[in-house]
Amino acid sequence: FKNIVITSLDVIAAVFDTPVIYPIPRIMEIKSGTAITTTQLDKILLPKNALEDTLFAAEHLKEKLLESIGKKIAIEFYEQNSSFENALIVGLSEEWEALNILSEKPKKEGFVLIGKKGTVYLIGADRNGLLYGSEKLLSLLENGQVPLCKIDDYPRMQFRGIHTGLPPREEIPFFKRFI
C-alpha cells in the first residue's frame, strides 16, 4: 500500500478570510479595504468605440445589478473628461488598450477584474470573458462591496461542461443566475 498525503482541503461553508467565489479563479489577489460599495456605484463606463459584445455585457450587468441590489445604474461612454470615480469600467481589452489598464491581455474566454479605490475594471478577452467576469463581479457584490482586488481567470479546458444538483434553499438566487 502507498500512503496518501492530502496537501490542501477546502471545506464548503467554512469561514474564509477572502470572499468566496465559485468556481475559484486562477489568480485572485485580495487586499484589505474596499474598492467600491453598491451605494457608491453610479455608472457603467464603456469605451467610446464599444463593440456589440461590450454593449451586450453592459446591458446584462445593468439588468443583473437592478435585480440583485435594486439600483438602476447608468451606462455612459468614455470622453476625455470622464471621471472613473464610482464607476464600473467595462470592455474588451483592445477597446481600452490606449489607457494601459492591463499589463497583458486576458486569455481566450478570460477576464481581469480589478478593484481600485473608487473604481472597478472588468476587462474581457471576448464576449464570453465579459460575461464570466460579470458573474464574478455579481458574486462579489452579494456582500455589498467589491474589495481591493485583482482577479484573473480563464477556462482550464477548451470545452466547458457542468454538473448540477438540487441547490439548498438559500442558494436558489445564485443557482438561477448560474443557469
Side-chain angles (χ1 to χ4, degrees):
F1 293 103
K2 270 188 154 182
N3 290 337
I4 297 174
V5 178
I6 299 173
T7 58
S8 72
L9 177 65
D10 287 337
V11 179
I12 307 269
V15 177
F16 293 97
D17 295 335
T18 59
V20 179
I21 303 173
Y22 290 104
I24 297 170
R26 294 232 180 189
I27 300 168
M28 184 167 75
E29 300 166 7
I30 306 285
K31 298 176 182 155
S32 64
T34 301
I36 199 166
T37 65
T38 53
T39 54
Q40 293 172 315
L41 184 62
D42 64 8
K43 65 185 166 192
I44 297 172
L45 192 59
L46 305 181
K48 193 185 239 183
N49 59 339
L51 298 172
E52 186 179 327
D53 292 345
T54 298
L55 296 170
F56 179 82
E59 283 296 330
H60 171 75
L61 257 175
K62 180 180 175 179
E63 288 173 20
K64 292 296 183 178
L65 287 168
L66 180 60
E67 185 181 300
S68 63
I69 64 173
K71 186 174 181 183
K72 191 171 186 174
I73 308 291
I75 295 177
E76 298 178 9
F77 292 90
Y78 176 76
E79 299 290 335
Q80 285 299 95
N81 59 350
S82 293
S83 167
F84 282 13
E85 193 67 27
N86 297 333
L88 170 56
I89 313 302
V90 177
L92 299 172
S93 56
E94 64 263 18
E95 295 171 332
W96 290 108
E97 213 164 25
L99 296 180
N100 293 323
I101 295 169
L102 302 176
S103 55
E104 65 180 61
K105 292 181 179 183
K107 292 182 173 53
K108 184 178 178 188
E109 293 191 7
F111 67 90
V112 176
L113 180 69
I114 301 170
K116 291 186 176 180
K117 195 73 177 159
T119 308
V120 176
Y121 299 88
L122 173 56
I123 310 298
D126 48 33
R127 183 184 194 119
N128 287 343
L130 285 172
L131 291 175
Y132 291 130
S134 297
E135 289 304 315
K136 290 283 193 263
L137 176 63
L138 290 166
S139 293
L140 287 172
L141 284 171
E142 285 178 359
N143 296 330
Q145 65 182 16
V146 174
L148 297 170
C149 65
K150 180 177 181 188
I151 298 172
D152 187 350
D153 200 14
Y154 51 93
R156 285 169 172 64
M157 298 180 176
Q158 201 169 21
F159 176 77
R160 292 184 190 216
I162 61 168
H163 174 93
T164 60
L166 191 60
R169 186 173 302 233
E170 62 274 2
E171 295 298 323
I172 288 177
F174 168 77
F175 195 71
K176 284 181 180 177
R177 271 203 345 265
F178 181 69
I179 293 174

